[in-house]
Amino acid sequence: MKSAVLVFPGINRERDMARALKLASGNDAAMVWHADTALPAGTDLVVVPGGFSYGDYLRCGAIAARAPVMDAVRDFAAKGGLVLGVCNGFQILCESGLLPGVLMRNAQLKFVCRDVHMKIERSDTPFTRGYNAGQVIRVPVAHGEGNYEADEETLKRLEGEGRVLYRYCSPEGVVDEASNFNGAANSIAGIVNERGNVLGMMPHPENHVEEIMGCTDGRGLFAGLAQHLEKAA
C-alpha cells in the first residue's frame, strides 16, 4: 500500500496518520505539501488528515479545499483512487466537492475531545472490510465543527444508497439522541461518495491503533485498506 498524506499549514495529525498507515502496511507514507501539483507516482491511497488547516479561517477546510494539491486529489478520485479524510480532512473533502454536505458547529457550540462509539453500518467496502457490520468501536474525537448536515434529498440518497458507513451510537450500539453528541444529521459519523472510493469521517481512528493507547479499535480501518489494496494488486 503506497499512501500519500497531505500536509497543509495548521494540520497537526499527519504524523499520527503516517504512523498508523505504516503499522498497517509496513510502508512509509509520502508526505505531500499543499502547494504540490501532483501526487507521488503509484499512489494507492490519499489521506487528508485532521488539524486546523489555515487556522480554520473563513470556514473549516474552505481554504485548503482550494489548495493546488486538491486538483490532483480530485483527478485521483475521479480515476477510482481511494481517498480518506479524517476530521478536518472530512471538512476539506466536503468543501472541495468530493463529498456532499457540510460540517457545522457542534450542537452544544463546544469543542469536544473524548472517546465516542461508532456503529459499523457495512463491512463490504474498502474502508470497513476490517470490521463486521453492526460492530461497535471506540475512537477519539477532537472537533468543534463536526455536526454533519445536508439537505433532505441528499440525506435520503445517502441512506438509500448505503453510503453512511459510520454512525454515532451508545457503547451498546444504540443510535439515539443521547449518543449523538455533536448533533449530526442521522447521527452520521462517516460517509462515502457515490462511487464508494472517497470516505470522510470525523473521529480519529489513527489514534487507536496501538495497545499503549489502551484501545486498538481504529486498527481495522487501516488493516482493511491494506488488505483491499494487496488483493487488488
Side-chain angles (χ1 to χ4, degrees):
M1 181 170 75
K2 189 170 183 179
S3 306
V5 178
L6 305 190
V7 182
F8 300 91
I11 284 289
N12 59 18
R13 299 296 186 104
E14 73 274 12
R15 298 295 169 183
D16 295 2
M17 186 61 73
R19 180 170 177 80
L21 292 165
K22 183 170 184 178
L23 289 172
S25 68
N27 299 320
D28 288 318
M31 311 305 282
V32 181
W33 188 233
H34 68 115
D36 291 345
T37 57
L39 299 170
T43 295
D44 297 311
L45 169 70
V46 173
V47 183
V48 192
F52 305 92
S53 59
Y54 299 93
D56 280 348
Y57 288 110
L58 299 183
R59 294 183 306 277
C60 296
I63 300 177
R66 290 153 179 81
V69 74
M70 291 306 297
D71 286 335
V73 175
R74 279 184 280 265
D75 289 343
F76 178 77
K79 295 174 182 175
L82 295 177
V83 180
L84 167 64
V86 173
C87 199
N88 192 211
F90 188 5
Q91 296 162 343
I92 293 169
L93 293 181
C94 288
E95 290 286 344
S96 67
L98 284 166
L99 290 173
V102 65
L103 282 307
M104 304 291 289
R105 290 288 304 277
N106 293 344
Q108 300 301 317
L109 304 182
K110 294 180 179 179
F111 188 90
V112 178
C113 183
R114 62 180 175 86
D115 285 0
V116 301
H117 292 85
M118 296 192 305
K119 177 179 284 188
I120 312 301
E121 294 292 317
R122 298 173 54 185
S123 60
D124 60 345
T125 78
F127 303 104
T128 56
R129 63 176 294 165
Y131 301 110
N132 295 317
Q135 182 177 346
V136 175
I137 63 173
R138 177 166 61 93
V139 285
V141 295
H143 60 250
E145 291 85 12
N147 177 359
Y148 181 79
E149 297 294 340
D151 61 78
E152 185 176 349
E153 183 59 34
T154 297
L155 290 173
K156 286 181 179 179
R157 189 164 63 251
L158 290 173
E159 296 289 357
E161 296 174 357
R163 290 165 54 189
V164 178
L165 300 192
Y166 298 99
R167 208 182 301 269
Y168 301 117
C169 67
S170 71
E172 297 75 31
V174 177
V175 177
D176 57 13
E177 187 176 346
S179 60
N180 187 10
F181 66 97
N182 61 21
N186 297 0
S187 296
I188 290 174
I191 62 168
V192 289
N193 64 340
E194 187 173 359
R195 190 169 179 175
N197 63 310
V198 178
L199 168 69
M201 62 187 301
M202 285 311 296
H204 288 274
E206 75 275 15
N207 292 138
H208 271 181
V209 295
E210 299 183 82
E211 296 287 352
I212 194 171
M213 298 305 296
C215 182
T216 59
D217 284 1
R219 189 182 293 172
L221 186 149
F222 301 101
L225 284 168
Q227 292 166 7
H228 172 79
L229 290 167
E230 181 180 357
K231 183 177 180 180

